[in-house]
Amino acid sequence: LSQVTADEGILHASGSGVPPVTKDYCIIYNSNWVSLPKSLDNATFRTLENLTSTVLCSSSEVPSGLVKDKAVVVMRGNCTFLEKARIAQSLGAKMLLIASKPRLSPLSDNKTDFEDVTLPVALMRYNDIVDMQLTLGNEVNVTLYSPPLPEFDCSMVVIFLIAVFTVALGGYWSGVAELENLKAIASPGERETRRKKEENVTFTPVTVILFVIICCVMLVLLYFFYKWLVYVIISVFCLASAMSLYNCLAALIGEIPFGRCRIACCNKNIEVRLIFLAVFCIAAAVVWAVFRNEDR
C-alpha cells in the first residue's frame, strides 16, 4: 500500500474593506504533492474565484481566462483531486481549493501519473466557504501556509500546574475543615454520632446502578444527538462551574471582616457582597460559554 500523508494547514483570507477583515480557516493538504510556506511572510496572495457551482471534472465547465492567475474553489465530485488540479492548472489557476460537504479526508491520490501538476491543492469545508463570503464579501484574497508544530507545548505545563494546585489546595482545605470539626467535638459520643452520619452519606448499590444507567444513557444520547445535547452539557458545565466558583470564593470572602451589610429578601438576610459575588460567577460562566470558540 502506498503511504498516505495528510497534513493540516491554514487558509488565510483577506477581504477588500478598509481596514481589511481577515479570517483563518483549516485545510488539509498532502505534503508529498506540494510544500506550503511556514508563515505568512513567505506566502503569496491570490484572488479567490468561487466556482462551487461546478466540480471541475472537465475544462469545458469553466470559461476560458476566468481563473487565470487566481485561486479557484470548486466542489468535490466524482473525479479525483489531481484530475481537478491538472484541469485547473491548464486553465492558468495558481491554487486549487476543493470544498467538501462530507467530513474532510486525506488527499491520497496516486501522484505518479500527475507529475506535471505543481499548483497547491487543499481540501476545506464547504461551510467555511459560505462563512467566508458572508464575513469577507465576494472579493477575497487567499493564501495557504502551514505553521510547524512546536516540539514542546507550553500550555501543557500550565494545565499541569493548575491541576496540581487545585488538587493540593482542595486537599489542604479539606484537611483544615476536618481538623476544625474534630476540635469542635467535645466528647467521644458526639464523634461517633458524626461518623455514623457520614456513613449514611455513602452510595448504596441502588444509587451506583442508577448512576451507571444515567451515564450510559447520556453517552448514547451524546452519540446520536450530539448537535443538540452538547448545548445541554455546556449549560450544565456552566452552572456547575459558577456554583463551584461561588462556593470557593464565598469561603474566602467570609474571612474578610468588611462589607457585611445585609438586605432583607424573601424573609432572609443576604449579604450584599455575596450578591455581587454570585453575579460575578454567573458572568464568568456566561462569558466562557459565549467566547469559548473564539481564536482570540
Side-chain angles (χ1 to χ4, degrees):
L1 296 176
S2 59
Q3 184 179 4
V4 176
T5 303
D7 300 88
E8 297 177 350
I10 297 176
L11 181 140
H12 183 77
S14 176
S16 57
V18 180
V21 180
T22 62
K23 196 168 184 179
D24 293 333
Y25 299 93
C26 295
I27 62 166
I28 289 180
Y29 74 103
N30 194 320
S31 59
N32 291 332
W33 299 355
V34 65
S35 59
L36 297 182
K38 295 182 179 181
S39 65
L40 286 174
D41 299 333
N42 302 322
T44 303
F45 283 85
R46 302 288 181 183
T47 303
L48 181 65
E49 186 67 34
N50 191 343
L51 296 179
T52 51
S53 58
T54 65
V55 295
L56 200 63
C57 289
S58 173
S59 58
S60 60
E61 298 181 25
V62 180
S64 178
L66 181 63
V67 299
K68 185 174 178 59
D69 296 330
K70 295 182 180 180
V72 57
V73 53
V74 298
M75 290 300 298
R76 192 172 182 172
N78 296 327
C79 53
T80 64
F81 300 124
L82 290 175
E83 288 175 350
K84 297 175 186 291
R86 173 177 285 175
I87 295 172
Q89 183 171 295
S90 65
L91 294 173
K94 298 299 182 181
M95 185 189 305
L96 176 63
L97 304 174
I98 302 173
S100 175
K101 290 184 178 179
R103 66 180 183 89
L104 300 183
S105 58
L107 298 115
S108 56
D109 294 344
N110 189 2
K111 191 69 166 56
T112 306
D113 300 330
F114 297 90
E115 296 295 339
D116 56 327
V117 177
T118 58
L119 85 166
V121 182
L123 185 67
M124 62 183 303
R125 297 180 180 87
Y126 175 76
N127 291 338
D128 291 341
I129 298 296
V130 176
D131 178 78
M132 191 187 306
Q133 286 185 325
L134 295 175
T135 306
L136 306 178
N138 295 325
E139 297 181 6
V140 181
N141 295 321
V142 298
T143 189
L144 301 177
Y145 72 103
S146 181
L149 295 176
E151 296 181 0
F152 180 76
D153 192 357
C154 299
S155 62
M156 296 303 298
V157 178
V158 178
I159 294 174
F160 175 78
L161 293 177
I162 292 175
V164 172
F165 174 76
T166 303
V167 173
L169 181 61
Y172 176 77
W173 198 338
S174 176
V176 171
E178 181 70 15
L179 182 61
E180 292 178 353
N181 291 335
L182 292 177
K183 289 181 179 180
I185 299 175
S187 62
E190 293 181 1
R191 184 177 302 177
E192 186 65 24
T193 304
R194 181 175 175 272
R195 185 176 301 169
K196 290 181 179 180
K197 289 182 179 180
E198 290 181 349
E199 291 177 356
N200 292 333
V201 180
T202 58
F203 289 116
T204 62
V206 177
T207 307
V208 174
I209 294 174
L210 290 176
F211 179 76
V212 173
I213 292 175
I214 292 174
C215 290
C216 294
V217 171
M218 289 297 297
L219 289 175
V220 172
L221 292 176
L222 277 174
Y223 184 82
F224 291 102
F225 304 100
Y226 177 80
K227 290 183 179 180
W228 299 277
L229 198 62
V230 65
Y231 295 105
V232 177
I233 301 300
I234 292 174
S235 302
V236 173
F237 176 80
C238 291
L239 179 62
S241 61
M243 293 176 62
S244 302
L245 184 61
Y246 175 83
N247 290 331
C248 292
L249 296 181
L252 296 177
I253 291 178
E255 301 296 330
I256 301 175
F258 302 104
R260 293 183 175 179
C261 56
R262 297 173 176 269
I263 60 173
C265 180
C266 300
N267 297 326
K268 293 182 179 180
N269 293 326
I270 305 175
E271 291 186 5
V272 176
R273 59 181 181 176
L274 294 182
I275 296 177
F276 284 105
L277 177 62
V279 173
F280 169 76
C281 296
I282 295 173
V286 171
V287 169
W288 175 86
V290 174
F291 296 101
R292 67 186 186 280
N293 293 326
E294 285 289 332
D295 295 334
R296 294 168 293 181

